[in-house]
Amino acid sequence: MSFLIDPPWLYANGRALAKATPPPQRDKLAAATLGVFLVTSVSLYLDKGWTKPIWRLCRARSGRDWMLNSGVFRLDPDRASTSTHLVSGALFATYPLWLWLGLRHGRD
């Protein structure tokens, strides 16, 4: 999971849930999906030890490296500034929106 990958992935999950599941199950699965994304992504950003297999699989130097750079950018995750943390927090705050958009468009 990373800031580049998570939004389209959340959107795609929302569309799939909207098409494949009835409302009571869909709502529970959507909440669980969002929870998994947030817990995993925030844990990666905070470099929690349990995420090491994930970021190593992605060939990143750390969880924060993976979240910020996704193997594409060259930001220094060890020198993340207050601005970087604020922008990251704002990006995390958009995660429910991406899932909701997928749910909404999947019902059309």
XYZ file of all heavy atoms in Angstrom:
860
model
N 0.834 -1.163 0.000
C 0.000 0.000 0.000
C 0.883 1.231 0.000
O 1.926 1.252 0.632
C -0.882 -0.014 1.225
C -1.795 -1.211 1.271
S -2.880 -1.155 2.653
C -3.855 -2.585 2.279
N 0.469 2.226 -0.731
C 1.215 3.476 -0.797
C 0.267 4.580 -1.212
O -0.845 4.322 -1.676
C 2.361 3.360 -1.792
O 1.864 3.431 -3.114
N 0.717 5.809 -1.073
C -0.144 6.931 -1.429
C -0.484 6.952 -2.917
O -1.510 7.499 -3.303
C 0.494 8.255 -1.013
C 0.519 8.466 0.474
C 1.684 8.820 1.114
C -0.631 8.314 1.239
C 1.717 9.026 2.484
C -0.611 8.514 2.614
C 0.555 8.873 3.230
N 0.345 6.359 -3.756
C 0.032 6.298 -5.186
C -0.931 5.169 -5.523
O -1.750 5.288 -6.426
C 1.311 6.100 -6.007
C 2.221 7.291 -6.193
C 3.418 6.892 -7.051
C 1.480 8.445 -6.837
N -0.827 4.086 -4.817
C -1.601 2.892 -5.136
C -2.936 2.843 -4.396
O -3.944 2.394 -4.943
C -0.770 1.637 -4.814
C 0.473 1.596 -5.698
C -1.590 0.361 -4.969
C 1.503 0.588 -5.267
N -2.962 3.297 -3.164
C -4.153 3.137 -2.326
C -5.421 3.771 -2.893
O -6.465 3.114 -2.906
C -3.897 3.645 -0.907
C -2.959 2.745 -0.126
O -2.592 1.669 -0.632
O -2.587 3.129 0.998
N -5.409 5.033 -3.355
C -6.665 5.611 -3.841
C -7.327 4.815 -4.976
O -8.511 4.474 -4.876
C -6.271 7.026 -4.261
C -5.133 7.351 -3.351
C -4.357 6.057 -3.246
N -6.597 4.474 -6.050
C -7.278 3.695 -7.093
C -7.683 2.303 -6.616
O -8.706 1.754 -7.055
C -6.264 3.625 -8.233
C -4.984 4.146 -7.721
C -5.250 4.875 -6.464
N -6.903 1.737 -5.706
C -7.230 0.414 -5.186
C -8.487 0.481 -4.318
O -9.352 -0.401 -4.390
C -6.036 -0.127 -4.413
C -6.012 -1.601 -4.200
C -6.864 -2.528 -4.710
C -5.083 -2.323 -3.405
N -6.516 -3.779 -4.285
C -5.428 -3.677 -3.479
C -3.990 -1.950 -2.644
C -4.720 -4.657 -2.794
C -3.293 -2.927 -1.982
C -3.649 -4.263 -2.057
N -8.604 1.508 -3.494
C -9.817 1.690 -2.691
C -11.022 1.904 -3.597
O -12.091 1.335 -3.372
C -9.654 2.870 -1.730
C -8.849 2.587 -0.481
C -8.352 3.875 0.148
C -9.679 1.781 0.516
N -10.860 2.715 -4.616
C -11.937 2.960 -5.572
C -12.373 1.649 -6.239
O -13.569 1.339 -6.310
C -11.473 3.967 -6.622
C -12.509 4.260 -7.671
C -13.504 5.194 -7.441
C -12.486 3.591 -8.888
C -14.466 5.449 -8.410
C -13.439 3.841 -9.854
C -14.430 4.775 -9.615
O -15.388 5.010 -10.576
N -11.418 0.865 -6.701
C -11.734 -0.412 -7.355
C -12.414 -1.376 -6.391
O -13.353 -2.085 -6.778
C -10.456 -1.036 -7.917
N -11.964 -1.393 -5.143
C -12.616 -2.242 -4.143
C -14.052 -1.806 -3.924
O -14.952 -2.635 -3.794
C -11.847 -2.198 -2.816
C -10.735 -3.203 -2.770
O -10.935 -4.339 -2.378
N -9.547 -2.791 -3.178
N -14.278 -0.498 -3.870
C -15.634 0.012 -3.702
C -16.531 -0.389 -4.861
O -17.667 -0.823 -4.654
N -16.045 -0.261 -6.058
C -16.849 -0.666 -7.236
C -17.174 -2.157 -7.190
O -18.296 -2.562 -7.458
C -16.104 -0.329 -8.525
C -16.144 1.149 -8.854
C -15.617 1.406 -10.244
N -16.484 0.825 -11.249
C -17.240 1.529 -12.080
N -17.221 2.831 -12.044
N -18.000 0.920 -12.967
N -16.172 -2.960 -6.864
C -16.394 -4.407 -6.807
C -17.403 -4.760 -5.712
O -18.291 -5.594 -5.925
C -15.073 -5.131 -6.566
N -17.281 -4.132 -4.556
C -18.228 -4.393 -3.466
C -19.640 -3.978 -3.852
O -20.609 -4.671 -3.543
C -17.804 -3.657 -2.194
C -16.611 -4.227 -1.454
C -16.148 -3.264 -0.364
C -16.961 -5.576 -0.861
N -19.774 -2.847 -4.519
C -21.096 -2.365 -4.921
C -21.771 -3.312 -5.895
O -22.987 -3.504 -5.841
C -20.979 -0.974 -5.537
N -20.996 -3.909 -6.764
C -21.567 -4.801 -7.774
C -21.817 -6.213 -7.243
O -22.723 -6.886 -7.688
C -20.645 -4.876 -8.992
C -20.595 -3.579 -9.777
C -19.744 -3.734 -11.016
C -19.635 -2.455 -11.779
N -20.866 -1.934 -12.319
N -21.010 -6.652 -6.293
C -21.021 -8.065 -5.916
C -21.756 -8.393 -4.618
O -22.011 -9.564 -4.363
C -19.584 -8.576 -5.814
N -22.081 -7.390 -3.822
C -22.662 -7.710 -2.522
C -23.904 -6.872 -2.232
O -23.973 -5.694 -2.596
C -21.640 -7.471 -1.384
O -21.182 -6.125 -1.444
C -20.463 -8.406 -1.490
N -24.887 -7.463 -1.556
C -26.080 -6.706 -1.155
C -25.743 -5.733 -0.018
O -24.736 -5.916 0.683
C -27.059 -7.783 -0.703
C -26.239 -8.989 -0.424
C -24.985 -8.873 -1.239
N -26.584 -4.709 0.170
C -26.277 -3.644 1.131
C -25.817 -4.070 2.531
O -24.796 -3.539 2.983
C -27.573 -2.839 1.190
C -28.159 -3.021 -0.173
C -27.810 -4.437 -0.565
N -26.468 -4.980 3.235
C -25.972 -5.241 4.598
C -24.530 -5.786 4.620
O -23.704 -5.311 5.393
C -26.941 -6.280 5.161
C -28.160 -6.185 4.305
C -27.676 -5.723 2.956
N -24.238 -6.727 3.748
C -22.885 -7.283 3.686
C -21.912 -6.265 3.091
O -20.760 -6.172 3.508
C -22.840 -8.572 2.864
C -23.522 -9.735 3.506
C -25.004 -9.802 3.157
O -25.533 -8.959 2.443
N -25.683 -10.818 3.666
N -22.386 -5.515 2.097
C -21.532 -4.523 1.441
C -21.016 -3.499 2.449
O -19.836 -3.162 2.458
C -22.300 -3.813 0.331
C -21.466 -2.764 -0.390
C -22.262 -1.984 -1.408
N -23.300 -1.228 -0.740
C -24.572 -1.179 -1.145
N -24.963 -1.839 -2.211
N -25.454 -0.469 -0.487
N -21.884 -3.017 3.303
C -21.483 -2.005 4.277
C -20.453 -2.555 5.258
O -19.479 -1.872 5.601
C -22.700 -1.468 5.023
C -23.669 -0.742 4.101
O -23.261 -0.373 2.973
O -24.821 -0.547 4.497
N -20.642 -3.782 5.694
C -19.678 -4.398 6.614
C -18.341 -4.650 5.923
O -17.283 -4.393 6.494
C -20.238 -5.708 7.170
C -21.391 -5.503 8.125
C -21.977 -6.811 8.576
C -23.198 -6.543 9.446
N -23.918 -7.750 9.788
N -18.400 -5.141 4.698
C -17.161 -5.382 3.955
C -16.443 -4.074 3.617
O -15.207 -4.014 3.635
C -17.443 -6.177 2.687
C -17.791 -7.652 2.897
C -18.269 -8.280 1.588
C -16.589 -8.402 3.432
N -17.204 -3.033 3.320
C -16.596 -1.735 3.026
C -15.886 -1.201 4.273
O -14.757 -0.693 4.178
C -17.647 -0.743 2.538
N -16.520 -1.316 5.422
C -15.896 -0.855 6.667
C -14.630 -1.655 6.966
O -13.603 -1.091 7.363
C -16.887 -0.961 7.823
N -14.692 -2.955 6.763
C -13.516 -3.803 6.998
C -12.396 -3.462 6.014
O -11.221 -3.392 6.398
C -13.897 -5.278 6.882
N -12.749 -3.241 4.766
C -11.766 -2.877 3.746
C -11.066 -1.578 4.116
O -9.832 -1.492 4.079
C -12.446 -2.737 2.363
O -13.014 -3.998 1.998
C -11.471 -2.287 1.298
N -11.845 -0.580 4.481
C -11.263 0.700 4.875
C -10.366 0.532 6.094
O -9.274 1.088 6.147
C -12.372 1.717 5.154
C -11.905 3.115 5.512
C -11.056 3.715 4.401
C -13.103 3.994 5.815
N -10.806 -0.265 7.058
C -10.002 -0.509 8.250
C -8.664 -1.149 7.926
O -7.620 -0.735 8.449
N -8.680 -2.141 7.057
C -7.433 -2.816 6.673
C -6.488 -1.836 5.982
O -5.294 -1.792 6.270
C -7.723 -4.041 5.773
C -6.455 -4.559 5.111
C -8.393 -5.136 6.583
N -7.031 -1.041 5.064
C -6.189 -0.068 4.365
C -5.582 0.934 5.335
O -4.385 1.219 5.277
C -7.003 0.680 3.302
C -6.953 0.040 1.952
C -7.814 -0.993 1.631
C -6.067 0.476 0.990
C -7.786 -1.583 0.384
C -6.023 -0.106 -0.263
C -6.885 -1.139 -0.565
N -6.413 1.498 6.216
C -5.906 2.515 7.132
C -4.893 1.947 8.126
O -3.828 2.529 8.331
C -7.059 3.189 7.865
C -7.818 4.238 7.047
C -9.073 4.689 7.770
C -6.922 5.432 6.736
N -5.222 0.815 8.724
C -4.297 0.230 9.701
C -2.975 -0.118 9.040
O -1.901 0.198 9.565
C -4.934 -1.006 10.379
C -3.889 -1.815 11.136
C -6.054 -0.574 11.324
N -3.032 -0.736 7.894
C -1.797 -1.143 7.218
C -1.001 0.061 6.737
O 0.212 0.149 6.959
C -2.109 -2.091 6.043
O -2.868 -3.197 6.528
C -0.834 -2.589 5.386
N -1.666 1.007 6.091
C -0.956 2.152 5.531
C -0.379 3.066 6.615
O 0.765 3.513 6.503
C -1.882 2.946 4.610
O -2.235 2.156 3.496
N -1.158 3.339 7.652
C -0.635 4.166 8.746
C 0.512 3.440 9.439
O 1.527 4.051 9.777
C -1.752 4.550 9.741
C -1.185 5.193 10.993
C -2.759 5.488 9.083
N 0.383 2.137 9.623
C 1.470 1.360 10.240
C 2.725 1.375 9.380
O 3.843 1.453 9.904
C 1.016 -0.077 10.502
O -0.017 -0.103 11.459
N 2.564 1.307 8.070
C 3.715 1.434 7.182
C 4.353 2.804 7.349
O 5.576 2.920 7.492
C 3.296 1.233 5.717
C 3.123 -0.202 5.253
C 2.302 -0.259 3.978
C 4.470 -0.868 5.046
N 3.538 3.841 7.337
C 4.065 5.202 7.465
C 4.821 5.382 8.781
O 5.836 6.067 8.831
C 2.922 6.220 7.354
C 3.422 7.635 7.257
C 3.847 8.151 6.042
C 3.500 8.446 8.381
C 4.339 9.446 5.949
C 3.986 9.741 8.302
C 4.401 10.243 7.083
O 4.898 11.525 7.004
N 4.323 4.757 9.834
C 4.962 4.862 11.152
C 6.076 3.835 11.359
O 6.638 3.737 12.445
C 3.905 4.708 12.255
C 2.826 5.800 12.285
C 1.767 5.463 13.326
C 3.441 7.168 12.531
N 6.380 3.069 10.326
C 7.437 2.050 10.367
C 7.240 1.036 11.494
O 8.200 0.648 12.178
C 8.827 2.696 10.487
C 9.285 3.309 9.183
O 8.993 2.720 8.125
O 9.929 4.376 9.218
N 6.022 0.580 11.671
C 5.756 -0.458 12.665
C 6.443 -1.750 12.219
O 6.438 -2.107 11.039
C 4.254 -0.681 12.840
C 3.523 0.535 13.395
C 4.012 0.832 14.778
C 3.276 1.987 15.407
N 3.764 2.342 16.715
N 7.019 -2.454 13.179
C 7.807 -3.645 12.881
C 7.083 -4.717 12.087
O 7.678 -5.370 11.236
N 5.789 -4.892 12.355
C 5.057 -5.957 11.673
C 4.907 -5.706 10.178
O 4.587 -6.620 9.417
C 3.695 -6.198 12.329
C 2.689 -5.097 12.138
C 2.463 -4.038 12.960
C 1.755 -4.984 11.069
N 1.448 -3.262 12.463
C 0.993 -3.816 11.300
C 1.477 -5.742 9.922
C -0.017 -3.390 10.444
C 0.471 -5.317 9.072
C -0.270 -4.161 9.336
N 5.184 -4.476 9.722
C 5.044 -4.171 8.296
C 6.309 -4.458 7.487
O 6.293 -4.343 6.269
C 4.653 -2.693 8.083
O 5.719 -1.850 8.533
C 3.369 -2.347 8.812
N 7.379 -4.836 8.169
C 8.657 -5.041 7.473
C 8.549 -5.996 6.283
O 9.093 -5.704 5.206
C 9.722 -5.515 8.458
C 11.113 -5.535 7.867
C 12.169 -5.836 8.919
C 13.551 -5.731 8.336
N 14.591 -5.924 9.352
N 7.848 -7.135 6.411
C 7.745 -8.014 5.228
C 7.073 -7.330 4.029
O 7.431 -7.602 2.885
C 6.901 -9.190 5.719
C 7.067 -9.189 7.202
C 7.243 -7.751 7.596
N 6.155 -6.427 4.303
C 5.459 -5.729 3.212
C 6.423 -4.803 2.481
O 6.555 -4.866 1.257
C 4.245 -4.932 3.742
C 3.228 -5.863 4.391
C 3.605 -4.118 2.615
C 2.140 -5.152 5.181
N 7.093 -3.898 3.231
C 7.944 -2.937 2.540
C 9.195 -3.577 1.954
O 9.701 -3.119 0.932
C 8.261 -1.711 3.390
C 8.881 -1.868 4.733
C 8.230 -1.860 5.927
C 10.273 -1.999 5.030
N 9.133 -1.980 6.963
C 10.389 -2.063 6.442
C 11.433 -2.067 4.258
C 11.618 -2.200 7.082
C 12.655 -2.194 4.899
C 12.731 -2.257 6.289
N 9.656 -4.658 2.567
C 10.811 -5.352 1.976
C 10.422 -6.006 0.654
O 11.202 -6.004 -0.297
C 11.361 -6.389 2.945
C 12.076 -5.709 4.121
C 12.798 -6.671 4.964
N 14.023 -7.039 4.227
C 14.880 -7.943 4.639
N 14.664 -8.588 5.774
N 15.950 -8.226 3.949
N 9.216 -6.570 0.605
C 8.708 -7.167 -0.630
C 8.636 -6.121 -1.741
O 8.845 -6.437 -2.916
C 7.328 -7.782 -0.379
C 6.691 -8.558 -1.503
C 7.510 -9.799 -1.839
C 5.277 -8.962 -1.126
N 8.372 -4.888 -1.358
C 8.275 -3.785 -2.321
C 9.631 -3.143 -2.616
O 9.701 -2.137 -3.331
C 7.312 -2.727 -1.791
S 5.642 -3.344 -1.560
N 10.687 -3.693 -2.025
C 12.054 -3.205 -2.229
C 12.249 -1.767 -1.762
O 12.980 -0.987 -2.367
C 12.478 -3.359 -3.686
C 12.500 -4.796 -4.119
C 13.014 -4.935 -5.510
N 13.037 -6.351 -5.847
C 12.999 -6.811 -7.063
N 12.960 -5.984 -8.073
N 13.017 -8.097 -7.292
N 11.576 -1.434 -0.665
C 11.716 -0.111 -0.077
C 12.677 -0.184 1.112
O 12.953 -1.259 1.638
C 10.353 0.400 0.380
N 13.160 0.976 1.556
C 14.067 1.037 2.705
C 13.318 0.989 4.032
O 13.892 0.664 5.061
C 14.904 2.313 2.663
C 15.909 2.353 1.551
C 16.824 3.557 1.621
N 16.070 4.811 1.682
C 16.328 5.801 2.526
N 17.313 5.705 3.383
N 15.621 6.898 2.499
N 12.045 1.370 3.993
C 11.215 1.377 5.195
C 9.760 1.491 4.767
O 9.457 1.698 3.587
C 11.582 2.572 6.088
O 11.223 3.788 5.453
N 8.878 1.377 5.744
C 7.466 1.557 5.440
C 7.168 2.967 4.966
O 6.402 3.177 4.026
N 7.780 3.941 5.631
C 7.558 5.338 5.214
C 8.120 5.573 3.819
O 7.520 6.285 3.016
C 8.180 6.302 6.212
C 7.872 7.752 5.840
C 8.275 8.735 6.896
N 7.483 8.489 8.089
C 7.893 8.776 9.318
N 9.069 9.321 9.519
N 7.121 8.532 10.354
N 9.259 4.996 3.523
C 9.816 5.102 2.175
C 8.811 4.589 1.155
O 8.559 5.235 0.137
C 11.130 4.323 2.091
C 11.737 4.316 0.704
O 11.664 5.351 0.013
O 12.299 3.270 0.310
N 8.215 3.453 1.431
C 7.244 2.890 0.501
C 6.019 3.788 0.375
O 5.555 4.062 -0.725
C 6.837 1.482 0.915
C 5.776 0.932 0.039
C 4.513 0.580 0.391
C 5.861 0.685 -1.374
N 3.814 0.141 -0.708
C 4.625 0.199 -1.803
C 6.882 0.844 -2.312
C 4.364 -0.134 -3.124
C 6.622 0.511 -3.630
C 5.377 0.025 -4.017
N 5.495 4.262 1.503
C 4.299 5.103 1.459
C 4.554 6.399 0.693
O 3.716 6.827 -0.098
C 3.807 5.426 2.876
C 3.170 4.268 3.595
S 1.730 3.562 2.749
C 0.598 4.947 2.740
N 5.701 7.025 0.916
C 5.984 8.317 0.282
C 6.469 8.185 -1.161
O 6.100 9.002 -2.010
C 7.050 9.080 1.085
C 6.647 9.553 2.461
C 7.851 10.165 3.175
C 5.501 10.548 2.386
N 7.283 7.190 -1.422
C 7.953 7.126 -2.718
C 7.396 6.094 -3.685
O 7.507 6.270 -4.892
C 9.450 6.884 -2.519
C 10.109 8.052 -1.835
O 9.905 9.197 -2.231
N 10.892 7.781 -0.794
N 6.876 5.010 -3.177
C 6.297 3.948 -4.009
C 7.243 3.460 -5.092
O 6.803 3.006 -6.142
C 4.990 4.420 -4.653
O 4.124 4.949 -3.705
N 8.538 3.594 -4.865
C 9.502 3.185 -5.875
C 9.575 4.137 -7.054
O 10.253 3.856 -8.035
N 8.899 5.299 -6.969
C 8.841 6.246 -8.079
C 9.556 7.552 -7.730
O 10.327 8.069 -8.523
C 7.365 6.547 -8.445
C 7.273 7.613 -9.535
C 6.645 5.281 -8.868
N 9.256 8.080 -6.550
C 9.812 9.373 -6.142
C 11.110 9.189 -5.372
O 11.524 8.084 -5.077
C 8.788 10.146 -5.311
C 7.508 10.399 -6.052
C 6.338 9.782 -5.664
C 7.479 11.238 -7.151
C 5.157 9.992 -6.354
C 6.309 11.460 -7.849
C 5.145 10.833 -7.446
N 11.732 10.282 -4.997
C 13.011 10.244 -4.305
C 13.001 11.089 -3.025
O 13.994 11.696 -2.673
C 14.124 10.756 -5.219
C 14.269 9.966 -6.495
C 15.240 8.807 -6.307
N 15.484 8.130 -7.549
C 15.015 6.930 -7.828
N 14.266 6.286 -6.976
N 15.286 6.355 -8.978
N 11.877 11.139 -2.330
C 11.817 11.869 -1.061
C 12.620 11.105 -0.006
O 12.633 9.879 -0.009
C 10.377 12.020 -0.591
C 9.444 12.797 -1.516
C 8.006 12.670 -1.030
C 9.857 14.249 -1.586
N 13.260 11.819 0.889
C 14.018 11.173 1.957
C 13.070 10.910 3.127
O 12.691 11.845 3.835
C 15.177 12.057 2.404
C 16.064 11.383 3.437
O 15.697 10.299 3.945
O 17.135 11.937 3.738
N 12.680 9.660 3.340
C 11.715 9.349 4.402
C 12.262 9.606 5.801
O 11.502 9.818 6.741
C 11.401 7.870 4.199
C 12.574 7.332 3.456
C 13.106 8.459 2.621
N 13.585 9.623 5.937
C 14.197 9.873 7.242
C 14.192 11.357 7.606
O 14.445 11.712 8.750
C 15.631 9.343 7.269
C 15.686 7.841 7.024
O 14.759 7.141 7.471
O 16.642 7.389 6.373
N 13.940 12.197 6.642
C 13.919 13.644 6.880
C 12.537 14.227 6.606
O 12.418 15.377 6.170
C 14.950 14.333 6.004
C 16.357 13.958 6.378
C 17.335 14.706 5.543
N 18.673 14.197 5.845
C 19.753 14.899 5.692
N 19.689 16.121 5.239
N 20.920 14.376 5.979
N 11.514 13.444 6.860
C 10.147 13.918 6.641
C 9.874 15.093 7.580
O 10.076 15.001 8.785
C 9.154 12.798 6.880
N 9.431 16.187 7.004
C 9.187 17.407 7.770
C 7.762 17.413 8.323
O 6.941 16.548 8.003
C 9.378 18.619 6.864
O 8.389 18.613 5.846
N 7.475 18.406 9.112
C 6.114 18.588 9.620
C 5.138 18.712 8.458
O 4.050 18.142 8.491
C 6.044 19.841 10.524
O 6.939 19.664 11.616
C 4.643 20.066 11.044
N 5.541 19.415 7.418
C 4.683 19.560 6.231
C 4.395 18.204 5.596
O 3.261 17.928 5.191
C 5.344 20.471 5.200
O 5.552 21.745 5.720
N 5.414 17.374 5.506
C 5.235 16.034 4.941
C 4.238 15.238 5.774
O 3.359 14.574 5.227
C 6.580 15.288 4.876
O 7.479 16.039 4.074
C 6.413 13.892 4.304
N 4.366 15.318 7.085
C 3.439 14.592 7.961
C 2.012 15.131 7.826
O 1.054 14.354 7.817
C 3.894 14.670 9.412
C 5.226 14.036 9.679
N 5.602 12.809 9.169
C 6.286 14.472 10.393
C 6.828 12.515 9.565
N 7.266 13.511 10.315
N 1.868 16.446 7.706
C 0.533 17.036 7.551
C -0.105 16.633 6.224
O -1.290 16.282 6.172
C 0.606 18.557 7.675
C 0.911 19.095 9.069
C 1.149 20.598 9.022
C -0.213 18.754 10.038
N 0.679 16.663 5.161
C 0.158 16.244 3.849
C -0.199 14.760 3.881
O -1.242 14.348 3.358
C 1.165 16.565 2.720
C 0.757 15.902 1.411
C 1.309 18.068 2.549
N 0.634 13.958 4.525
C 0.348 12.522 4.645
C -0.947 12.300 5.409
O -1.782 11.475 5.012
C 1.512 11.806 5.332
O 2.670 11.899 4.546
N -1.127 13.025 6.503
C -2.369 12.920 7.260
C -3.576 13.304 6.425
O -4.626 12.651 6.485
N -3.428 14.347 5.618
C -4.520 14.752 4.735
C -4.815 13.671 3.697
O -5.981 13.409 3.375
C -4.168 16.073 4.048
N -3.770 13.037 3.185
C -3.982 11.947 2.218
C -4.708 10.767 2.874
O -5.623 10.191 2.277
C -2.648 11.499 1.617
C -2.001 12.503 0.674
C -0.581 12.073 0.335
C -2.821 12.665 -0.591
N -4.304 10.415 4.094
C -5.010 9.343 4.804
C -6.489 9.707 4.996
O -7.355 8.838 4.918
C -4.374 9.062 6.170
C -3.086 8.300 6.104
C -1.952 8.777 6.751
C -2.995 7.100 5.420
C -0.757 8.074 6.717
C -1.804 6.381 5.368
C -0.678 6.876 6.024
N -6.755 10.970 5.240
C -8.129 11.416 5.466
C -8.995 11.272 4.214
O -10.227 11.231 4.314
C -8.140 12.861 5.958
N -8.367 11.154 3.032
C -9.145 10.972 1.801
C -9.519 9.513 1.542
O -10.330 9.242 0.656
C -8.393 11.509 0.565
O -7.245 10.686 0.301
C -7.993 12.970 0.736
N -8.943 8.592 2.278
C -9.205 7.174 2.018
C -10.692 6.818 2.029
O -11.164 6.117 1.123
C -8.427 6.292 2.987
C -6.967 6.094 2.640
C -6.242 7.035 1.914
C -6.295 4.957 3.042
C -4.901 6.846 1.596
C -4.955 4.757 2.736
C -4.272 5.710 2.017
O -2.947 5.505 1.707
N -11.483 7.290 2.991
C -12.919 6.973 2.936
C -13.590 7.519 1.669
O -14.485 6.877 1.117
C -13.495 7.647 4.189
C -12.337 7.791 5.114
C -11.129 8.000 4.225
N -13.142 8.670 1.204
C -13.711 9.256 -0.009
C -13.501 8.347 -1.211
O -14.422 8.125 -1.998
C -13.094 10.627 -0.274
C -13.481 11.288 -1.600
C -14.972 11.607 -1.622
C -12.641 12.525 -1.836
N -12.280 7.814 -1.364
C -12.003 6.943 -2.515
C -12.873 5.696 -2.498
O -13.400 5.280 -3.533
C -10.519 6.562 -2.560
C -9.661 7.743 -2.830
C -8.823 8.370 -1.951
C -9.588 8.484 -4.046
N -8.231 9.451 -2.558
C -8.687 9.542 -3.845
C -10.206 8.359 -5.288
C -8.373 10.470 -4.839
C -9.889 9.271 -6.279
C -8.988 10.309 -6.054
N -13.031 5.101 -1.316
C -13.877 3.910 -1.214
C -15.330 4.275 -1.510
O -16.020 3.574 -2.246
C -13.740 3.281 0.174
C -14.500 1.988 0.390
C -14.011 0.893 -0.553
C -14.364 1.528 1.840
N -15.786 5.382 -0.957
C -17.170 5.829 -1.176
C -17.432 6.095 -2.659
O -18.474 5.710 -3.187
C -17.445 7.084 -0.341
C -18.802 7.650 -0.588
C -19.985 7.213 -0.078
C -19.119 8.748 -1.441
N -21.027 7.984 -0.555
C -20.506 8.934 -1.398
C -18.347 9.604 -2.233
C -21.155 9.930 -2.122
C -19.001 10.601 -2.953
C -20.381 10.753 -2.890
N -16.474 6.754 -3.335
C -16.650 7.005 -4.770
C -16.782 5.697 -5.546
O -17.615 5.584 -6.450
C -15.482 7.825 -5.324
C -15.475 9.294 -4.954
C -14.134 9.937 -5.351
C -16.635 10.026 -5.617
N -15.964 4.716 -5.190
C -16.076 3.418 -5.854
C -17.425 2.764 -5.583
O -18.048 2.216 -6.498
N -17.883 2.832 -4.342
C -19.202 2.274 -4.009
C -20.298 2.973 -4.788
O -21.203 2.340 -5.324
C -19.479 2.403 -2.502
C -18.677 1.479 -1.586
C -18.751 1.966 -0.142
C -19.190 0.045 -1.702
N -20.202 4.276 -4.854
C -21.225 5.069 -5.558
C -21.238 4.765 -7.048
O -22.281 4.539 -7.652
C -20.957 6.549 -5.331
C -21.982 7.435 -5.950
C -21.792 8.862 -5.524
N -22.713 9.698 -6.255
C -22.441 10.900 -6.673
N -21.280 11.445 -6.397
N -23.315 11.589 -7.330
N -20.062 4.749 -7.674
C -19.998 4.495 -9.108
C -20.279 3.036 -9.454
O -20.742 2.746 -10.568
C -18.637 4.910 -9.674
C -18.428 6.383 -9.597
N -17.181 6.950 -9.534
C -19.305 7.429 -9.567
C -17.294 8.265 -9.486
N -18.566 8.573 -9.486
N -20.028 2.142 -8.531
C -20.305 0.731 -8.777
C -21.788 0.409 -8.774
O -22.218 -0.597 -9.331
N -22.583 1.263 -8.177
C -24.040 1.047 -8.130
C -24.729 1.556 -9.386
O -25.875 1.246 -9.630
C -24.637 1.764 -6.919
C -24.289 1.079 -5.623
C -25.017 1.758 -4.484
N -24.081 1.754 -3.361
C -23.940 2.727 -2.505
N -24.676 3.816 -2.597
N -23.083 2.649 -1.531
N -24.049 2.386 -10.167
C -24.664 2.978 -11.377
C -24.890 1.950 -12.448
O -24.273 0.974 -12.589
C -23.786 4.107 -11.926
C -23.706 5.274 -10.954
O -24.597 5.384 -10.099
O -22.746 6.049 -11.069
